[in-house]
Amino acid sequence: MNNKKKITIRYFLYILGGAVLGACLSLVCFHAKIPFENLFSDLYTRLLASSPWLCILLGLSAVVLCYVPLAKAKKRIADWNGWNDDTDDTFYRKTEVLLNISIGISSLAMMLYFMAFALLTIATLRKHVSVYLFFAVVLCSLFFMIFLAFPQRKAVEQIRILNPEKRGDALELHFRKKWLESFDEQERIAAYAASYQAFSSLNLVFFALYILLVLLIPFFDIGFLPFFCIGCMWLIPNGIYLRETLKRKKTQ
């Protein structure tokens, strides 16, 4: 049997196995609908009721967590005067890791905070949270957004001290474009590889989310909107990837 036939047979086995597994999970979900429905409903109600405190806790934790590595990196740069035990290469690598951790925490925390804030909005509309408490959390959110944005600027400024050739301000609109343009060839290759890995992982995540929503249909009144949103988020990056690939093929 040649390699092409093996791949074809393996592909159909994957499809068949996925269909059987999906059917089994569907049967389990339908038979376990009542207990799981009550469990999910109770957890969701408690989550809605605790959404204001979840927002505040998440915001405070994010601010502290992103400032700690930033402060460590700033201290390392301020103390660096040539007699440190680290070699230049080790010093740059360790310091940039701390700065990138600070940037990563602040960026991811903002995304998580938007999700928590959406939960708070739903809780307020469904009368689980008072309007006054909602606006109090909104006021706190403004401060959290500010305190999460400025560490990114500070971290970028510290990176520019280590690498003066880097350009861009983290708070300006086209920062990522300017920042990427200031990369050397090795840094660009690493950035492109990471971007492609993120793109590939997103396809798996969207597929898993689709399967999860299908399994949750018996327990929640999901409707078509979540499937539409996931479908759009799945189509857009793949469409852009295909368009950019074809564009570059034509110019080569």
Side-chain angles (χ1 to χ4, degrees):
M1 185 181 295
N2 58 35
N3 190 48
K4 184 177 181 180
K5 289 184 178 179
K6 288 181 180 179
I7 293 174
T8 304
I9 293 173
R10 192 181 301 133
Y11 172 77
F12 281 110
L13 288 176
Y14 286 152
I15 297 296
L16 180 61
V20 172
L21 180 61
C24 293
L25 288 174
S26 298
L27 288 174
V28 171
C29 288
F30 279 112
H31 282 88
K33 178 179 179 181
I34 300 301
F36 275 98
E37 188 174 17
N38 294 333
L39 175 62
F40 287 143
S41 178
D42 291 342
L43 290 175
Y44 185 56
T45 301
R46 293 179 183 179
L47 190 61
L48 288 175
S50 60
S51 57
W53 320 117
L54 179 64
C55 287
I56 293 175
L57 179 61
L58 178 61
L60 288 174
S61 302
V63 169
V64 172
L65 290 175
C66 71
Y67 270 98
V68 169
L70 175 62
K72 289 182 179 180
K74 290 178 68 174
K75 187 177 185 304
R76 286 177 61 86
I77 294 173
D79 292 344
W80 177 256
N81 56 11
W83 57 267
N84 193 296
D85 292 336
D86 288 340
T87 62
D88 285 347
D89 182 63
T90 303
F91 167 75
Y92 286 127
R93 186 171 63 252
K94 289 183 177 180
T95 307
E96 285 192 343
V97 166
L98 288 171
L99 293 171
N100 287 325
I101 289 174
S102 177
I103 294 173
I105 290 175
S106 60
S107 299
L108 294 175
M110 280 190 179
M111 299 176 191
L112 291 173
Y113 197 84
F114 288 145
M115 295 171 62
F117 190 80
L119 188 67
L120 173 65
T121 305
I122 295 172
T124 306
L125 292 174
R126 295 187 178 182
K127 309 299 182 183
H128 292 278
V129 175
S130 70
V131 177
Y132 300 106
L133 183 56
F134 171 78
F135 282 108
V137 177
V138 168
L139 184 61
C140 294
S141 301
L142 295 176
F143 288 101
F144 290 147
M145 291 299 103
I146 293 172
F147 282 110
L148 286 174
F150 278 95
Q152 297 186 27
R153 168 183 273 182
K154 293 294 183 181
V156 168
E157 289 175 353
Q158 297 300 312
I159 292 176
R160 290 175 63 184
I161 293 176
L162 299 175
N163 302 282
E165 72 278 4
K166 294 289 190 295
R167 300 191 307 274
D169 188 314
L171 299 185
E172 66 181 335
L173 185 60
H174 300 291
F175 164 70
R176 292 185 182 276
K177 181 179 180 181
K178 291 182 178 180
W179 192 253
L180 183 62
E181 288 174 349
S182 64
F183 280 10
D184 59 29
E185 190 65 27
Q186 187 175 2
E187 289 175 320
R188 290 191 181 190
I189 292 174
Y192 294 152
S195 299
Y196 184 76
Q197 183 61 44
F199 168 76
S200 301
S201 300
L202 271 178
N203 283 303
L204 294 177
V205 170
F206 288 141
F207 180 72
L209 286 174
Y210 173 81
I211 298 298
L212 179 62
L213 284 177
V214 171
L215 295 176
L216 290 178
I217 287 176
F219 309 114
F220 299 102
D221 186 16
I222 293 178
F224 177 67
L225 183 60
F227 291 96
F228 177 76
C229 292
I230 289 178
C232 289
M233 290 187 292
W234 200 349
L235 285 170
I236 289 172
N238 282 275
I240 294 174
Y241 178 80
L242 179 61
R243 184 193 67 183
E244 293 298 319
T245 301
L246 294 175
K247 184 191 299 185
R248 280 160 175 72
K249 288 291 184 180
K250 291 179 180 179
T251 57
Q252 285 179 353

